[in-house]
């Protein structure tokens, strides 16, 4: 599995969800989402990415879009989904355009995101897709932070009484 560009603290590691971002070629959408999550959601997401049929390289426009927006391209690579990566993921974000029920045999931990593939298009579309992914990763991170807060309340023994203390 790829190492994050910025190393999280021990406390952050213990609360993070392992999220696998998947697209067709692991060349545009999933590497962008991985890079965004590594920086913007490192407190709740341990990100990696893979492709259904990996292209084998990350295109220049993907790298240019990320660097122009201040994101690291360090260790991004176009790789296949391996059993080890799949098994270690808590959540799989499917951006392949193929419904999770058709793309994966074990789709219980898969969430479909409908994100256009910018491959072969112009820099404007890459930027548009980057902005869409940034928003989606931010929303995912907020959901995970909210889930952590709920878990922390339950673990502390705090609970809301149904009878409001009566």
């Amino acid at each position: 599995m790829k190492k994050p560009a910025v190393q999280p603290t021990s406390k952050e590691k213990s609360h993070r969800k392992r999220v696998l971002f998947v697209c067709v070629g692991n060349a545009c959408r999933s590497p962008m989402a991985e890079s965004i999550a590594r920086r913007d959601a490192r407190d709740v997401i341990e990100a990696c990415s893979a492709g259904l049929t990996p292209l084998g390289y990350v295109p220049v426009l993907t790298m240019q879009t990320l660097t122009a927006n201040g994101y690291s391209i360090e260790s991004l690579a176009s790789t296949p989904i391996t059993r080890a990566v799949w098994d270690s993921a808590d959540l799989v974000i499917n951006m392949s355009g193929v419904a999770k029920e058709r793309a994966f045999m074990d789709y219980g931990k898969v969430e479909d995101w409908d994100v256009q593939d910018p491959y072969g298009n112009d820099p404007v579309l890459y930027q548009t897709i980057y902005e869409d992914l940034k928003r989606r990763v931010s929303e995912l991170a907020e959901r995970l932070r909210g889930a952590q807060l709920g878990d922390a309340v339950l673990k502390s023994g705090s609970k809301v009484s149904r009878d409001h203390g009566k």
Side-chain angles (χ1 to χ4, degrees), residues 1 30 46 85 94 98 121 125 139 166:
M1 193 178 303
S30 55
E46 180 182 335
V85 169
N94 174 31
V98 179
N121 283 287
L125 183 58
E139 290 170 357
K166 296 179 185 174

Side-chain angles (χ1 to χ4, degrees), residues 38-125:
R38 283 182 178 180
R39 190 185 86 186
D40 295 352
R42 73 183 195 123
D43 61 318
V44 289
I45 294 175
E46 180 182 335
C48 66
S49 66
L52 297 180
T53 55
L55 188 60
Y57 66 94
V58 177
V60 171
L61 280 176
T62 300
M63 294 186 290
Q64 287 176 343
T65 302
L66 287 168
T67 56
N69 287 284
Y71 289 85
S72 174
I73 57 171
E74 182 183 330
S75 75
L76 292 181
S78 177
T79 59
I81 303 169
T82 64
R83 173 57 58 194
V85 169
W86 179 268
D87 288 346
S88 70
D90 298 309
L91 174 64
V92 177
I93 301 298
N94 174 31
M95 297 177 279
S96 71
V98 179
K100 64 185 178 183
E101 296 84 0
R102 289 189 25 222
F104 307 101
M105 290 180 68
D106 174 20
Y107 55 84
K109 62 182 176 181
V110 180
E111 180 177 313
D112 286 332
W113 285 5
D114 185 16
V115 179
Q116 184 179 352
D117 188 355
Y119 183 74
N121 283 287
D122 63 23
V124 173
L125 183 58

